[in-house]
Amino acid sequence: MKSALITGVTGQDGSYLAEFLLEKGYKVYGLRRRTSTPNYENVQAIKDQIEWISGDLTDLPSLIEAVRIADPDEVYNLAAQSYVAASWPQPILTGNITALSVTNMLEAVRIVKPTARFYQASSSEMFGKVLEVPQKETTPFYPRSPYGVAKVYGHWITVNYRESFDMFACSGILFNHESPRRGLEFVTRKITDGVARIKLGLQNELRLGNLDALRDWGFAGDYIKAMWLMLQQDTPEDFVISTEETHSVREFLEVAFSYVGLNYEDYVVLDPKFVRPAEVDLLIGDCTKAKEKLGWKQEVNFTQLVHMMVDEDIKRVQAEARY
Ligand code: GDP
């Protein structure tokens, strides 16, 4: 039986990945940060099937102990301060968690089990003010937020451990990927939650920032399969994962509101509070390499993704409203 250690297992990607690996017969270890108010919402259904290990990404001894306990074949480093907007008011925390902690995790693996295969969650935010359209593995980075800057560090330290210590370390450059489990502060989930509340008469406006930003949005449940595929190859390499389509926030609004028979223009209010100090205007990925080498392809398209998220939010908001 193979074993995997996942950091960030209670998040969107971690929960989908844990389900996927459990189905494949893996023993799944999840690193959890001690807190007085734990949140297991995303992993409710599989909570008892995960072997929980307490630890913190900023605390190397706890990571060394986690790798010792799990003795993993594969390590998926998904934990981070992952919200771009929060990285301006908390740039140091973002740097400590999203950048430097990748080295902690790599060190723990190098010290305890250097043969374990390592996946680093890199991000299309590294492309930022894009230097090429579409963006692929060889496109230079130009991050536009403390988050993007931190992810560039995480990316290069992963490459560096591969080249310095001959570790099987891969970096997956994933473009935005969403689902009903996406955090409520991200624009996609904020919109689908807003649509549900407006449709059910619980809210009458939705306050947003820049509607012209273009993103390459895929389904998280498809993207975690690419993470696993990267670690099953003969040689460790980095891959872009994307849908190769781009849509504006405005298009997301149109599809989400019209799905429930509403016009977004009647409800959306522009609020400067949600406009960022520096913006990533356009992301669109070229994932030819992943298609050819990993045999990966997306299953859920843009419209299906938006509809799935609206459906789930309507169900959840309805259930909450009953109590
Ligand atoms: P990101 O691509 O990782 O930053 O994902 P987000 O979902 O947080 O943001 C996607 C895009 O939506 C960015 O260009 C934001 O500026 C834009 N956006 C517009 N209004 C909002 C808002 O109210 N909240 C968020 N999170 N993003 C917004």
Side-chain angles (χ1 to χ4, degrees), residues 82-85 123 125 147 176 178 182 185-188 190 207-211 213-215 217 249 274-276 279-280 283:
S82 64
Y83 183 40
V84 171
S123 162
E125 286 292 316
Y147 168 85
N176 295 50
E178 320 295 311
R182 189 56 143 153
E185 73 271 43
F186 290 84
V187 79
T188 54
K190 185 171 168 182
R207 305 184 80 83
L208 295 170
N210 175 19
L211 306 188
L214 292 153
R215 288 290 181 279
W217 278 297
V249 173
F274 297 110
V275 175
R276 296 172 179 183
E279 179 64 292
V280 173
L283 290 175

Side-chain angles (χ1 to χ4, degrees), residues 6-297:
I6 306 176
T7 74
V9 70
T10 55
Q12 168 186 261
D13 292 7
S15 64
Y16 281 112
L17 179 65
E19 284 169 10
F20 176 77
L21 294 177
L22 285 168
E23 247 168 60
K24 287 209 169 292
Y26 278 65
K27 184 153 186 145
V28 174
Y29 292 85
L31 189 79
R32 77 176 144 193
R33 184 159 42 107
R34 205 210 63 77
T35 147
S36 51
T37 52
N39 182 353
Y40 294 107
E41 203 178 319
N42 291 330
V43 287
Q44 209 52 264
I46 52 165
K47 185 165 176 261
D48 297 338
Q49 296 173 64
I50 295 175
E51 303 282 338
W52 295 96
I53 304 175
S54 286
D56 191 295
L57 279 188
T58 59
D59 188 80
L60 180 59
S62 73
L63 300 181
I64 289 175
E65 183 63 4
V67 178
R68 200 189 58 71
I69 293 168
D71 189 27
D73 298 292
E74 296 167 11
V75 175
Y76 296 88
N77 189 39
L78 311 184
Q81 189 303 90
S82 64
Y83 183 40
V84 171
S87 75
W88 279 282
Q90 301 191 349
I92 309 286
L93 175 128
T94 302
N96 281 336
I97 305 293
T98 305
L100 209 51
S101 293
V102 183
T103 314
N104 279 341
M105 205 58 233
L106 281 163
E107 271 297 282
V109 174
R110 185 184 71 82
I111 291 165
V112 182
K113 191 162 186 197
T115 55
R117 296 183 167 206
F118 183 90
Y119 174 86
Q120 167 60 17
S122 287
S123 162
S124 55
E125 286 292 316
M126 301 190 302
F127 296 123
K129 192 170 179 180
V130 298
L131 295 172
E132 189 178 23
V133 180
Q135 299 83 50
K136 53 181 187 286
E137 290 80 4
T138 51
T139 304
F141 301 137
Y142 188 153
R144 290 275 279 174
S145 62
Y147 168 85
V149 174
K151 279 289 178 186
V152 171
Y153 175 93
H155 173 82
W156 282 116
I157 199 70
T158 302
V159 173
N160 184 256
Y161 268 56
R162 177 169 74 219
E163 295 176 353
S164 303
F165 305 115
D166 205 22
M167 285 168 59
F168 195 109
C170 303
S171 164
I173 307 173
L174 272 49
F175 280 63
N176 295 50
H177 44 289
E178 320 295 311
S179 76
R181 299 182 194 172
R182 189 56 143 153
L184 281 164
E185 73 271 43
F186 290 84
V187 79
T188 54
R189 191 71 201 294
K190 185 171 168 182
I191 293 171
T192 60
D193 174 73
V195 166
R197 287 177 193 283
I198 289 167
K199 183 69 186 168
L200 296 168
L202 301 168
Q203 186 173 312
N204 53 23
E205 65 173 31
L206 179 59
R207 305 184 80 83
L208 295 170
N210 175 19
L211 306 188
D212 297 318
L214 292 153
R215 288 290 181 279
D216 179 331
W217 278 297
F219 172 50
D222 289 342
Y223 283 39
I224 55 95
K225 293 178 189 165
M227 300 176 182
W228 177 78
L229 283 168
M230 285 179 217
L231 298 197
Q232 313 312 310
Q233 303 306 300
D234 292 336
T235 46
E237 286 182 59
D238 308 323
F239 291 89
V240 157
I241 303 297
S242 66
T243 70
E244 307 192 320
E245 268 181 39
T246 194
H247 298 273
S248 64
V249 173
R250 197 182 302 281
E251 272 175 87
F252 195 105
L253 282 167
E254 272 162 8
V255 176
F257 275 83
S258 65
Y259 183 49
V260 299
L262 300 174
N263 181 353
Y264 81 90
E265 287 168 320
D266 296 336
Y267 303 95
V268 170
V269 177
L270 298 183
D271 188 336
K273 193 169 76 193
F274 297 110
V275 175
R276 296 172 179 183
E279 179 64 292
V280 173
D281 296 319
L282 160 71
L283 290 175
I284 178 163
D286 171 351
C287 64
T288 306
K289 182 180 171 187
K291 286 197 260 182
E292 286 176 359
K293 286 200 173 173
L294 304 178
W296 178 84
K297 63 173 186 341

Side-chain angles (χ1 to χ4, degrees), residues 308-321:
M308 176 207 301
M309 292 175 70
V310 171
D311 284 337
E312 288 300 314
D313 272 324
I314 288 178
K315 268 194 247 163
R316 182 185 52 88
V317 173
Q318 252 167 351
E320 278 173 14

